Amino acid sequence: MTTKTTGDWGEALVANYLRERGYQLVASGYRCRFGEIDLIAKKAGVLCFVEVKLRSNLKYGMPREFVTASKQEKLRTTAQFYLSTHNIDVPARFDVAEVYTDAEHNAQNTRIEYLENAF
C-alpha cells in the first residue's frame, strides 16, 4: 500500500466508526489553500474537525504526538476558512482519531482510539 492508500484506508475506517456512533459525515479530505482536514462530522449540533493518524508501530511515538502545535494551528486556520466559506455558525471542536493496526493493515487487528476535544 502507498502512503496515500493507507491514509485513505484509515480515514474510511474512522468514517465508518463515526457513523456507527451517530455522527453524520459532512466532508472527507477537505482541502483549501491553508491545509487539509481529514474528516468533518456533525453530532448533536457540534461540528467536529477530525485529524486521523494511523500507525502500525509505536517506535516513533503515539499517533497523537504527531498533531504538533504547528499542525494544530494549520487545522484551526483551515477550519475557520471552511466555516466562513460555508456560512456555518455552530459550536465546533477538534478531535483526533488514532488508528492502530498491524503491518498488513488487517481490519481484524485494528483498533481506533477517538479523542474528543483533543486540542
Side-chain angles (χ1 to χ4, degrees):
M1 277 188 170
T2 66
T3 304
K4 170 88 170 99
T5 306
T6 301
D8 290 346
W9 179 79
E11 288 174 21
L13 285 176
V14 173
N16 286 334
Y17 174 91
L18 292 173
R19 282 189 203 98
E20 290 171 358
R21 284 154 181 78
Y23 288 79
Q24 174 191 358
L25 194 62
V26 176
S28 177
Y30 173 77
R31 294 174 192 266
C32 70
R33 67 179 182 245
F34 300 110
E36 177 187 3
I37 296 176
D38 295 329
L39 298 171
I40 303 173
K42 190 173 188 178
K43 184 176 181 182
V46 177
L47 199 61
C48 306
F49 297 99
V50 183
E51 177 68 10
V52 177
K53 291 294 183 188
L54 185 141
R55 294 292 180 268
S56 57
N57 70 59
L58 300 177
K59 184 171 28 173
Y60 299 107
M62 304 269 300
R64 69 190 78 170
E65 294 174 35
F66 290 86
V67 186
T68 62
S70 62
K71 177 66 174 177
Q72 291 174 22
E73 186 59 35
K74 196 177 231 186
L75 289 167
R76 283 187 192 97
T77 303
T78 305
Q80 287 174 335
F81 185 79
Y82 178 86
L83 291 169
S84 67
T85 58
H86 290 79
N87 200 25
I88 299 173
D89 186 18
V90 297
R93 71 173 193 235
F94 294 90
D95 300 346
V96 173
E98 298 179 320
V99 180
Y100 296 92
T101 189
D102 58 15
E104 289 79 38
H105 306 307
N106 184 335
Q108 286 74 26
N109 296 331
T110 299
R111 71 180 168 86
I112 296 170
E113 291 285 328
Y114 194 77
L115 309 168
E116 292 184 2
N117 260 336
F119 58 92

